[in-house]
Amino acid sequence: MTELRKDFLWGNSVSSMQTEGAWNEDGKGPSVYDIRPATEKVSDWKVAIDEYHRYPEDIALMKDLGMNCYRFQISWSRVQPDGEGAFNEKGIEFYSNLVDELLAAGIQPMVALYHFDMPLNLAKKYNGFINRQVVDNFFQFGKKMVDILGDRVKYWLTFNEQNLYGFSHAFPSSGYLKGDKTLHDQYQIFHNVALAHAKVANYIHANKPGLQIGGMEAYQVAYPATPNPADVAATREYTEFVDNNLIRIFTEGKYSDEVLAFMKAHDLEDILKPDEMAEIGETRSDFFAFSYYATATIDSTQIPTGTAPNYFAEVGTKKNPYLQANEWGWQIDPQGFETAILTLQNQTHLPIFPIENGIGVREHWDGEHEIDDDYRIAYHRDHIQAMKNAVAKGANVIGYLGWGLIDILSSQGDMEKRYGVVYVNRTNDDLRNLKRVPKKSYHWFKRVIASNGDVL
């Protein structure tokens, strides 16, 4: 039997805007999410699951579940309302109290600094991370948080799923409100975010020797649609641009040679300023974190000539006939999870930390009976087993965090797409009472954690 390490970290990951609510309380400034209106199919972001007021209740659930790690994200505009200038002591106090309560419950806090919720002022004033000024603003914010919480928080991340800045996600994720969304704009945003990460990582390594900071990406396992050499070549090239380029930055402080050649051929070299490249060059990671939900299959015949490799999956994805999918089209692939872990281990030689994994399903509670979510149990069982298979083959995996183990708004604001082992009683247009109700999977997960993954 494959045994996980004795200090294995079991837990949950979330973002601030999907959990906290309290969008205008205690001095919080607006973020780009706070101005997004509700529609017929999605909620606004003003209440979420009201974590700002209910976190002691949710920490009690996490403790009962057996969790010993919680990755949360600090809302930049809660602690620094304009993203520049004065900090908000009430906002800082909230996160300090949250950390203290987690530690008191035996739960290791892990902090992410940014999960797409740019302070609105920085988006309007500078157009977000496309502007070099926002890099310096981010560093001041990150340094402040590390200085305040670093005595109690060991594990740090800068950007959630940082490789998303390598394709069209770059624009909504970076606070980019206006512009033509050119290839140059996209590469400039990617570079500025890489520089912002480097500044915080280098500060931690130079000044906080007891802390660990990792790179984090939405690792993209992609398959060629057929043995056609063109499909294989497109898949390899896509992987180099959206996975390997950032992995090399995180581990060696260098861009991929192939990406550099592409930038030179497409008049993007002006982005690579020598002083900034030198700062990125000092970047190293203490562990490698990633999210994993599904895999992609690349069909080269769907990719128009001249498409940048970053965008191959956006135009060339084909349904994989060997995999099932949830109703949002995300194909379920535990084997891909094992592949991701082993590939990252062999490539980075770092401790590997999958910190987002789960399945979104439409669920309704009748107000009385426990939700029978055997499909969620099956998903996590298969993925944890795949992780254990990777460990048996030599991977140094330090933990496993599910995504949103207490129901939260989806990344699009849809409360109907639920990932949790705990149901939160609200819908997109009715807050109801926000009651927390464990599902069948909650009790299963509790047994898994108690056995350190031996009992699945």
Side-chain angles (χ1 to χ4, degrees), residues 241-308:
F241 276 67
V242 303
D243 286 331
N244 298 343
N245 182 43
L246 188 57
I247 291 170
R248 193 172 189 202
I249 289 172
F250 283 147
T251 57
E252 299 179 49
K254 298 177 181 179
Y255 274 69
S256 155
D257 296 339
E258 189 173 356
V259 172
L260 288 175
F262 177 87
M263 293 179 72
K264 182 176 181 180
H266 291 81
D267 298 321
L268 304 171
E269 275 189 301
D270 61 297
I271 292 169
L272 306 173
K273 296 177 174 59
D275 60 327
E276 296 175 356
M277 294 301 289
E279 197 161 4
I280 290 172
E282 298 174 14
T283 309
R284 298 296 182 270
S285 295
D286 300 305
F287 59 92
F288 194 94
F290 72 104
S291 63
Y292 179 90
Y293 298 94
T295 50
T297 303
I298 307 294
D299 179 357
S300 63
T301 66
Q302 297 179 196
I303 301 173
T305 301
T307 301

Side-chain angles (χ1 to χ4, degrees), residues 12-32:
N12 185 20
S13 284
V14 297
S15 76
S16 63
M17 69 280 189
Q18 291 167 275
T19 55
E20 288 177 7
W23 70 285
N24 63 349
E25 293 186 37
D26 292 336
K28 181 186 180 298
S31 78
V32 292

Side-chain angles (χ1 to χ4, degrees), residues 116 161 163-175 186 189 311 314 411-412:
F116 318 142
E161 300 181 327
N163 58 329
L164 297 191
Y165 300 93
F167 38 106
S168 65
H169 286 280
F171 300 110
S173 301
S174 66
Q186 186 258 297
I189 291 168
Y311 297 98
E314 296 181 53
S411 59
Q412 302 304 311

Side-chain angles (χ1 to χ4, degrees), residues 1-10 68 108 154-155 212 286-288 345 349-354 387-388 391-392 394-400 448-454:
M1 178 185 293
T2 301
E3 290 189 1
L4 301 175
R5 52 197 290 166
K6 300 301 182 187
D7 58 350
F8 197 81
L9 296 169
W10 294 96
N68 59 1
Q108 181 93 248
K154 176 182 178 181
Y155 293 103
Q212 293 196 13
D286 300 305
F287 59 92
F288 194 94
Q345 182 68 68
H349 312 292
L350 291 172
I352 305 300
F353 199 171
M387 174 184 70
K388 291 174 66 177
V391 170
N396 178 17
V397 181
I398 60 175
Y400 174 86
V448 171
I449 295 173
S451 71
N452 198 33
D454 285 348

